[in-house]
Amino acid sequence: MAAEADGVLLAAGGSRRAGAFKMTAPVGGRPLLLWGLEALRSCCDRVIVVAGGGAERITPLVSALPGVEIVINENHEQGMLSSVQAGAAQVRAGRFFVLPGDMPRVRPQTLAQLLDAAASSAIAVPAFAGRRGHPALLSAALLPGLLAEPAASSLGAFIRRRGAAIVDVDDPGVLDDLDTPEDLERADAALGAGGKP
């Protein structure tokens, strides 16, 4: 029987504003990327990690973990959609999450809520305090359209055209956007000392 959902974890960005490669930056006592990976592994048998320019630093972190596969996006400079497509092309389950790798506070309960809500919609997106966030959960039936989406587009544009079920969650982590050293410091403080998302 196919798994209920695969996870696509995006880790191919250049981290330009962070001043260093942020996916391996220490946050709450472990590399940033591992927080999102753990959340996805809580409900996905397979997690596809999409790496790019920092692949040589990500691979040793995740390659030995059960159910984790690495895809190298050679076109990561074209933007996030290219990484979404590289990961989505490997999906085998009936549904799949797309989560940026720099969102360490997304709670496993939030993913479970999205799975429950997605039974009646091809796309489910979380919202906190009236603002939409990540991860998105998509039906694999949408894969042909997503993979054909032009490079100048985005996952957000694809979702807006298709429509999504908006799931209100008690999880500010769905709005995280860790781009600068200050953002990383705030996340480190929030998750430090064994803190949980």
Side-chain angles (χ1 to χ4, degrees):
M1 189 173 92
E4 189 171 12
D6 285 345
V8 174
L9 187 62
L10 307 175
S15 306
R16 290 179 188 87
R17 285 180 285 174
F21 186 64
K22 65 183 175 182
M23 292 299 157
T24 55
V27 172
R30 61 178 138 168
L32 172 61
L33 182 69
L34 294 186
W35 289 96
L37 184 61
E38 182 179 276
L40 288 171
R41 290 179 75 207
S42 72
C43 63
C44 300
D45 290 336
R46 286 177 74 234
V47 178
I48 301 146
V49 177
V50 184
E56 73 286 349
R57 300 177 70 174
I58 289 173
T59 300
L61 275 181
V62 304
S63 59
L65 297 174
V68 176
E69 300 173 20
I70 300 170
V71 172
I72 307 299
N73 176 16
E74 303 290 353
N75 301 313
H76 63 93
E77 294 291 342
Q78 294 179 7
M80 187 181 290
L81 179 63
S82 68
S83 292
V84 172
Q85 291 171 324
Q90 305 303 314
V91 165
R92 296 198 295 261
R95 296 185 281 181
F96 62 101
F97 290 99
V98 177
L99 177 66
D102 59 355
M103 301 190 74
R105 296 190 302 146
V106 172
R107 299 171 179 162
Q109 307 94 289
T110 295
L111 277 66
Q113 280 183 260
L114 290 171
L115 283 168
D116 287 343
S120 58
S121 179
I123 305 175
V125 175
F128 176 77
R131 294 175 56 200
R132 296 186 188 195
H134 296 283
L137 177 62
L138 296 90
S139 166
L142 298 174
L143 280 170
L146 179 60
L147 296 176
E149 192 76 0
S153 186
S154 67
L155 178 62
F158 178 84
I159 289 173
R160 283 191 293 275
R161 282 202 321 275
R162 301 285 179 150
I166 307 303
V167 182
D168 290 317
V169 297
D170 184 19
D171 183 356
V174 303
L175 303 179
D176 274 347
D177 189 12
L178 307 186
D179 288 324
T180 67
E182 293 75 21
D183 295 336
L184 290 168
E185 287 172 12
R186 280 193 292 272
D188 183 49
L191 293 168
K196 297 292 183 187

